[in-house]
Every structure is written in C-alpha cells, then in structure tokens.
mmCIF file of all heavy atoms in Angstrom:
data_model
loop_
_atom_site.group_PDB
_atom_site.id
_atom_site.type_symbol
_atom_site.label_atom_id
_atom_site.label_comp_id
_atom_site.label_asym_id
_atom_site.label_seq_id
_atom_site.Cartn_x
_atom_site.Cartn_y
_atom_site.Cartn_z
ATOM 1 N N ASP C 1 0.831 -1.204 0.000
ATOM 2 C CA ASP C 1 0.000 0.000 0.000
ATOM 3 C C ASP C 1 0.861 1.248 0.000
ATOM 4 O O ASP C 1 0.429 2.300 -0.468
ATOM 5 C CB ASP C 1 -0.910 -0.003 1.231
ATOM 6 C CG ASP C 1 -1.840 -1.196 1.258
ATOM 7 O OD1 ASP C 1 -2.593 -1.379 0.282
ATOM 8 O OD2 ASP C 1 -1.798 -1.960 2.243
ATOM 9 N N GLN C 2 2.070 1.135 0.577
ATOM 10 C CA GLN C 2 2.989 2.266 0.583
ATOM 11 C C GLN C 2 4.428 1.782 0.572
ATOM 12 O O GLN C 2 4.727 0.674 1.002
ATOM 13 C CB GLN C 2 2.766 3.187 1.782
ATOM 14 C CG GLN C 2 2.908 2.548 3.133
ATOM 15 C CD GLN C 2 1.611 2.004 3.669
ATOM 16 O OE1 GLN C 2 0.546 2.538 3.372
ATOM 17 N NE2 GLN C 2 1.674 0.968 4.475
ATOM 18 N N ILE C 3 5.274 2.652 0.051
ATOM 19 C CA ILE C 3 6.709 2.394 -0.026
ATOM 20 C C ILE C 3 7.441 3.492 0.734
ATOM 21 O O ILE C 3 7.075 4.667 0.658
ATOM 22 C CB ILE C 3 7.192 2.363 -1.493
ATOM 23 C CG1 ILE C 3 6.635 1.132 -2.222
ATOM 24 C CG2 ILE C 3 8.717 2.368 -1.574
ATOM 25 C CD1 ILE C 3 6.959 1.112 -3.709
ATOM 26 N N TYR C 4 8.463 3.093 1.472
ATOM 27 C CA TYR C 4 9.378 4.031 2.130
ATOM 28 C C TYR C 4 10.775 3.725 1.598
ATOM 29 O O TYR C 4 11.172 2.559 1.542
ATOM 30 C CB TYR C 4 9.378 3.849 3.645
ATOM 31 C CG TYR C 4 8.016 3.865 4.306
ATOM 32 C CD1 TYR C 4 7.260 2.697 4.416
ATOM 33 C CD2 TYR C 4 7.492 5.034 4.853
ATOM 34 C CE1 TYR C 4 6.026 2.692 5.047
ATOM 35 C CE2 TYR C 4 6.257 5.040 5.489
ATOM 36 C CZ TYR C 4 5.526 3.867 5.582
ATOM 37 O OH TYR C 4 4.300 3.865 6.205
ATOM 38 N N ALA C 5 11.522 4.751 1.219
ATOM 39 C CA ALA C 5 12.820 4.488 0.595
ATOM 40 C C ALA C 5 13.864 5.524 0.968
ATOM 41 O O ALA C 5 13.556 6.698 1.190
ATOM 42 C CB ALA C 5 12.670 4.449 -0.929
ATOM 43 N N CYS C 6 15.122 5.060 1.027
ATOM 44 C CA CYS C 6 16.269 5.949 1.215
ATOM 45 C C CYS C 6 17.450 5.357 0.472
ATOM 46 O O CYS C 6 17.717 4.152 0.580
ATOM 47 C CB CYS C 6 16.611 6.101 2.696
ATOM 48 S SG CYS C 6 17.981 7.238 3.022
ATOM 49 N N GLY C 7 18.139 6.194 -0.291
ATOM 50 C CA GLY C 7 19.286 5.702 -1.039
ATOM 51 C C GLY C 7 19.752 6.722 -2.055
ATOM 52 O O GLY C 7 19.318 7.879 -2.051
ATOM 53 N N PRO C 8 20.618 6.309 -2.965
ATOM 54 C CA PRO C 8 21.153 7.230 -3.968
ATOM 55 C C PRO C 8 20.076 7.684 -4.942
ATOM 56 O O PRO C 8 19.043 7.026 -5.122
ATOM 57 C CB PRO C 8 22.236 6.410 -4.661
ATOM 58 C CG PRO C 8 21.854 4.986 -4.421
ATOM 59 C CD PRO C 8 21.206 4.961 -3.073
ATOM 60 N N LEU C 9 20.326 8.814 -5.581
ATOM 61 C CA LEU C 9 19.337 9.445 -6.455
ATOM 62 C C LEU C 9 18.818 8.525 -7.565
ATOM 63 O O LEU C 9 17.595 8.482 -7.791
ATOM 64 C CB LEU C 9 19.919 10.732 -7.049
ATOM 65 C CG LEU C 9 18.926 11.679 -7.724
ATOM 66 C CD1 LEU C 9 17.813 12.096 -6.777
ATOM 67 C CD2 LEU C 9 19.671 12.917 -8.241
ATOM 68 N N PRO C 10 19.668 7.787 -8.294
ATOM 69 C CA PRO C 10 19.121 6.912 -9.332
ATOM 70 C C PRO C 10 18.130 5.889 -8.782
ATOM 71 O O PRO C 10 17.125 5.573 -9.436
ATOM 72 C CB PRO C 10 20.373 6.230 -9.905
ATOM 73 C CG PRO C 10 21.487 7.178 -9.623
ATOM 74 C CD PRO C 10 21.152 7.780 -8.294
ATOM 75 N N MET C 11 18.398 5.373 -7.588
ATOM 76 C CA MET C 11 17.473 4.438 -6.960
ATOM 77 C C MET C 11 16.140 5.113 -6.640
ATOM 78 O O MET C 11 15.061 4.562 -6.884
ATOM 79 C CB MET C 11 18.076 3.856 -5.681
ATOM 80 C CG MET C 11 17.259 2.722 -5.076
ATOM 81 S SD MET C 11 17.631 2.409 -3.325
ATOM 82 C CE MET C 11 16.497 3.580 -2.536
ATOM 83 N N LEU C 12 16.215 6.323 -6.091
ATOM 84 C CA LEU C 12 14.988 7.040 -5.731
ATOM 85 C C LEU C 12 14.153 7.374 -6.966
ATOM 86 O O LEU C 12 12.924 7.354 -6.916
ATOM 87 C CB LEU C 12 15.329 8.311 -4.953
ATOM 88 C CG LEU C 12 16.010 8.106 -3.594
ATOM 89 C CD1 LEU C 12 16.246 9.447 -2.919
ATOM 90 C CD2 LEU C 12 15.178 7.198 -2.688
ATOM 91 N N ARG C 13 14.815 7.689 -8.080
ATOM 92 C CA ARG C 13 14.080 7.919 -9.326
ATOM 93 C C ARG C 13 13.301 6.663 -9.724
ATOM 94 O O ARG C 13 12.145 6.731 -10.118
ATOM 95 C CB ARG C 13 15.040 8.300 -10.448
ATOM 96 C CG ARG C 13 15.609 9.699 -10.357
ATOM 97 C CD ARG C 13 16.222 10.114 -11.699
ATOM 98 N NE ARG C 13 16.932 11.375 -11.585
ATOM 99 C CZ ARG C 13 18.255 11.491 -11.507
ATOM 100 N NH1 ARG C 13 19.015 10.400 -11.558
ATOM 101 N NH2 ARG C 13 18.833 12.666 -11.404
ATOM 102 N N GLY C 14 13.969 5.518 -9.612
ATOM 103 C CA GLY C 14 13.326 4.259 -9.953
ATOM 104 C C GLY C 14 12.160 3.949 -9.039
ATOM 105 O O GLY C 14 11.102 3.474 -9.494
ATOM 106 N N VAL C 15 12.314 4.235 -7.749
ATOM 107 C CA VAL C 15 11.238 4.011 -6.790
ATOM 108 C C VAL C 15 10.051 4.915 -7.094
ATOM 109 O O VAL C 15 8.892 4.478 -7.082
ATOM 110 C CB VAL C 15 11.745 4.242 -5.351
ATOM 111 C CG1 VAL C 15 10.583 4.265 -4.362
ATOM 112 C CG2 VAL C 15 12.758 3.172 -4.961
ATOM 113 N N LYS C 16 10.332 6.182 -7.364
ATOM 114 C CA LYS C 16 9.257 7.129 -7.674
ATOM 115 C C LYS C 16 8.473 6.675 -8.903
ATOM 116 O O LYS C 16 7.239 6.666 -8.895
ATOM 117 C CB LYS C 16 9.839 8.526 -7.905
ATOM 118 C CG LYS C 16 8.787 9.558 -8.316
ATOM 119 C CD LYS C 16 9.405 10.927 -8.542
ATOM 120 C CE LYS C 16 8.345 11.919 -9.024
ATOM 121 N NZ LYS C 16 8.906 13.271 -9.212
ATOM 122 N N ASP C 17 9.173 6.284 -9.952
ATOM 123 C CA ASP C 17 8.511 5.844 -11.182
ATOM 124 C C ASP C 17 7.706 4.574 -10.946
ATOM 125 O O ASP C 17 6.564 4.451 -11.411
ATOM 126 C CB ASP C 17 9.550 5.607 -12.284
ATOM 127 C CG ASP C 17 10.187 6.895 -12.778
ATOM 128 O OD1 ASP C 17 9.627 7.979 -12.497
ATOM 129 O OD2 ASP C 17 11.250 6.826 -13.427
ATOM 130 N N TYR C 18 8.286 3.625 -10.219
ATOM 131 C CA TYR C 18 7.594 2.371 -9.954
ATOM 132 C C TYR C 18 6.320 2.613 -9.148
ATOM 133 O O TYR C 18 5.259 2.043 -9.448
ATOM 134 C CB TYR C 18 8.520 1.417 -9.193
ATOM 135 C CG TYR C 18 7.869 0.113 -8.816
ATOM 136 C CD1 TYR C 18 7.778 -0.929 -9.733
ATOM 137 C CD2 TYR C 18 7.336 -0.069 -7.544
ATOM 138 C CE1 TYR C 18 7.165 -2.131 -9.388
ATOM 139 C CE2 TYR C 18 6.720 -1.257 -7.189
ATOM 140 C CZ TYR C 18 6.635 -2.293 -8.116
ATOM 141 O OH TYR C 18 6.021 -3.466 -7.765
ATOM 142 N N ALA C 19 6.419 3.454 -8.115
ATOM 143 C CA ALA C 19 5.257 3.744 -7.284
ATOM 144 C C ALA C 19 4.157 4.424 -8.090
ATOM 145 O O ALA C 19 2.972 4.086 -7.960
ATOM 146 C CB ALA C 19 5.669 4.619 -6.099
ATOM 147 N N ALA C 20 4.538 5.383 -8.938
ATOM 148 C CA ALA C 20 3.546 6.100 -9.743
ATOM 149 C C ALA C 20 2.846 5.160 -10.721
ATOM 150 O O ALA C 20 1.611 5.211 -10.885
ATOM 151 C CB ALA C 20 4.212 7.243 -10.499
ATOM 152 N N LYS C 21 3.600 4.297 -11.365
ATOM 153 C CA LYS C 21 3.022 3.379 -12.349
ATOM 154 C C LYS C 21 2.091 2.360 -11.713
ATOM 155 O O LYS C 21 1.152 1.864 -12.354
ATOM 156 C CB LYS C 21 4.132 2.658 -13.106
ATOM 157 C CG LYS C 21 4.914 3.556 -14.053
ATOM 158 C CD LYS C 21 6.062 2.804 -14.698
ATOM 159 C CE LYS C 21 6.873 3.714 -15.612
ATOM 160 N NZ LYS C 21 8.057 3.006 -16.189
ATOM 161 N N ASN C 22 2.331 2.039 -10.441
ATOM 162 C CA ASN C 22 1.542 1.012 -9.766
ATOM 163 C C ASN C 22 0.542 1.581 -8.762
ATOM 164 O O ASN C 22 -0.083 0.814 -8.014
ATOM 165 C CB ASN C 22 2.480 0.021 -9.070
ATOM 166 C CG ASN C 22 3.243 -0.845 -10.052
ATOM 167 O OD1 ASN C 22 2.745 -1.870 -10.507
ATOM 168 N ND2 ASN C 22 4.464 -0.430 -10.393
ATOM 169 N N GLY C 23 0.394 2.901 -8.743
ATOM 170 C CA GLY C 23 -0.590 3.523 -7.859
ATOM 171 C C GLY C 23 -0.302 3.340 -6.383
ATOM 172 O O GLY C 23 -1.221 3.213 -5.572
ATOM 173 N N ILE C 24 0.984 3.339 -6.025
ATOM 174 C CA ILE C 24 1.396 3.156 -4.640
ATOM 175 C C ILE C 24 1.932 4.475 -4.096
ATOM 176 O O ILE C 24 2.736 5.138 -4.752
ATOM 177 C CB ILE C 24 2.495 2.080 -4.530
ATOM 178 C CG1 ILE C 24 2.033 0.769 -5.179
ATOM 179 C CG2 ILE C 24 2.886 1.851 -3.075
ATOM 180 C CD1 ILE C 24 3.145 -0.262 -5.296
ATOM 181 N N SER C 25 1.509 4.858 -2.904
ATOM 182 C CA SER C 25 2.074 6.059 -2.291
ATOM 183 C C SER C 25 3.508 5.766 -1.859
ATOM 184 O O SER C 25 3.828 4.647 -1.448
ATOM 185 C CB SER C 25 1.238 6.506 -1.086
ATOM 186 O OG SER C 25 1.319 5.555 -0.040
ATOM 187 N N ALA C 26 4.375 6.761 -1.969
ATOM 188 C CA ALA C 26 5.788 6.546 -1.645
ATOM 189 C C ALA C 26 6.366 7.752 -0.933
ATOM 190 O O ALA C 26 6.110 8.900 -1.313
ATOM 191 C CB ALA C 26 6.597 6.256 -2.916
ATOM 192 N N GLN C 27 7.135 7.474 0.102
ATOM 193 C CA GLN C 27 7.907 8.501 0.794
ATOM 194 C C GLN C 27 9.384 8.192 0.565
ATOM 195 O O GLN C 27 9.815 7.053 0.728
ATOM 196 C CB GLN C 27 7.610 8.504 2.286
ATOM 197 C CG GLN C 27 6.173 8.854 2.632
ATOM 198 C CD GLN C 27 5.904 8.725 4.114
ATOM 199 O OE1 GLN C 27 6.700 9.161 4.950
ATOM 200 N NE2 GLN C 27 4.782 8.121 4.461
ATOM 201 N N ILE C 28 10.136 9.224 0.194
ATOM 202 C CA ILE C 28 11.558 9.033 -0.077
ATOM 203 C C ILE C 28 12.382 9.961 0.809
ATOM 204 O O ILE C 28 12.001 11.100 1.063
ATOM 205 C CB ILE C 28 11.900 9.270 -1.559
ATOM 206 C CG1 ILE C 28 11.521 10.677 -1.997
ATOM 207 C CG2 ILE C 28 11.205 8.231 -2.440
ATOM 208 C CD1 ILE C 28 11.950 11.013 -3.419
#
C-alpha cells in the first residue's frame, strides 16, 4: 500500500517511477 525508501538518487528515481506506475504512495 505504501513504499518508504532511502538511497542514492538513481534508486529514488526508480522508486518514484515504480510507485507512480503502480498507484502506490511513496515517501523518499
């Protein structure tokens, strides 16, 4: 239902895109 993430910028970009495509809220 939600994602929490911390890491390097390329990883965070991937998390943001994945969350948006799958309709998941994400905090980075």
Side-chain angles (χ1 to χ4, degrees):
D1 299 304
Q2 59 269 329
I3 291 174
Y4 308 87
C6 182
L9 194 57
M11 188 199 87
L12 296 182
R13 287 196 188 102
V15 170
K16 177 180 177 178
D17 291 344
Y18 177 82
K21 290 176 182 177
N22 290 275
I24 305 171
S25 67
Q27 296 175 44
I28 59 175

